[in-house]
Amino acid sequence: MPTLFEPQAAMIAATSEGRGFPVRRIFCIGRNYAAHAREMGKDPEREAPFFFTKWAENVVPSGTVIAYPPGTRDFHYEGELVIAIGKGGRNIAPADALAHVYGYAAGLDMTRRDLQFEAREMGRPWDVAKNVEQSAPLGLIHPASAVGHLSAGRIALTVNGQVRQDGDLGEMIWNVAEVIAYVSRFYRLEPGDLIYSGTPAGVGAVVEGDEIIVTVEGLSDCVIRIGPEADD
Ligand code: MN
C-alpha cells in the first residue's frame, strides 16, 4: 500500500568497526550511582533498580549542536555509559548477560530537571522530563570484542572544560550484567536496543553555547553543544 508520507528511517548509530548500529529502543536506568541518588534526595541503599524509556529518534551523534528544549528552565546533563545490545533475549540471567552486548559508548541522558521534580512530587510520569527531543546524545559504539566488557574505569563530564562529573564505572549500584538482566524481565531485549546505565554525581544545568564532553575510559568521547531554542 502506498504510504501517506515517508516512514521515518531508523536512527543509525556509528560504530568503531565502520558498520551502522540501527537503534531500536532506549532504556535508561535511574539513580545507579549512590552519590547521585543522594544528590537527588534519595537513599541509594533502599531502592530496587528502575528504568524509564526514550524514543530511539532522540538519539543524536556526538558532534551535534542540540536545541535548548522548550518547556524548561533547568535543562541538565547526565553523562552515562551506554550499553548497545547485539543479541536479543528475555529473562536473561546475569551470568549470561554480557553475551547479549554488542558494545559500549559514552552518552548523555539530557533531562528537563524542573519537570522531572514536578512529576516526581505529583506522582506523574517522567516522559516530558526525560523523553526530550535530541536528549540521547551518543558517542561512537565500540564493540566489546575490541574493548572488552566494562566494569571499572573513569567516567567524567566537563562543561566548557570544567570537570563537573568524575566517577568510576565500578561505583554502579547495578552493574552491566545486572542491568541487562533486570530490563529483560520486563521487555524482550532486541538487537539495536540501547541501555543508558545511569549517571554519577554532579549533574547540573546547561545554557546556550555550552560545550559538554563525556569521557568513559577506553571509549570515544561524546561531545555536544547547546544551541538556541528550536524555532521551526
Ligand atoms: Mn540518567
Side-chain angles (χ1 to χ4, degrees):
M1 189 190 307
T3 57
L4 291 162
F5 43 82
E6 284 297 309
Q8 180 187 299
M11 165 65 205
I12 309 291
T15 73
S16 63
E17 62 176 5
R19 296 163 70 201
F21 181 92
V23 179
R24 180 162 177 150
R25 296 173 298 187
I26 304 175
F27 301 93
C28 300
I29 307 297
R31 298 195 285 265
N32 201 16
Y33 291 77
H36 172 65
R38 283 191 283 270
E39 78 179 346
M40 291 287 110
K42 297 294 178 181
D43 179 352
E45 308 299 321
R46 297 194 179 182
E47 282 199 316
F50 72 96
F51 60 90
F52 52 89
T53 60
K54 299 191 185 213
W55 297 324
E57 68 186 52
N58 291 326
V59 169
V60 292
S62 177
T64 301
V65 178
I66 70 172
Y68 194 96
T72 182
R73 307 191 76 165
D74 197 23
F75 190 43
H76 273 213
Y77 56 77
E78 296 188 358
E80 309 205 355
L81 170 70
V82 182
I83 305 157
I85 299 295
K87 183 181 137 196
R90 191 191 297 281
N91 289 321
I92 298 165
D96 303 328
L98 297 182
H100 294 261
V101 176
Y102 162 73
Y104 299 96
L108 280 157
D109 166 18
M110 298 300 294
T111 302
R112 292 176 170 118
R113 189 74 67 203
D114 43 2
L115 299 192
Q116 183 195 11
F117 283 157
E118 194 178 294
R120 220 171 75 173
E121 278 162 31
M122 301 181 80
R124 288 178 178 168
W126 284 12
D127 299 57
V128 77
K130 285 292 195 179
N131 192 12
V132 179
E133 290 159 337
Q134 301 186 300
S135 66
L138 185 68
L140 202 60
I141 302 173
H142 293 263
S145 59
V147 297
H149 289 286
L150 304 188
S151 56
R154 187 173 183 235
I155 175 169
L157 177 145
T158 63
V159 178
N160 304 325
Q162 306 257 51
V163 177
R164 300 288 185 82
Q165 294 189 281
D166 196 351
D168 193 282
L169 300 177
E171 298 161 4
M172 286 167 62
I173 297 169
W174 308 98
N175 66 27
V176 169
E178 290 166 333
V179 157
I180 292 168
Y182 185 76
V183 175
S184 78
R185 288 164 50 186
F186 301 92
Y187 295 91
R188 187 181 196 285
L189 286 175
E190 300 292 350
D193 288 341
L194 297 175
I195 303 176
Y196 284 62
S197 61
T199 198
V203 300
V206 297
V207 296
E208 182 181 343
D210 282 348
E211 181 186 64
I212 302 158
I213 303 178
V214 184
T215 302
V216 176
E217 196 178 321
L219 305 178
S220 301
D221 291 351
C222 179
V223 183
I224 60 161
R225 278 161 62 94
I226 307 298
E229 275 200 36
D231 61 355
D232 60 339

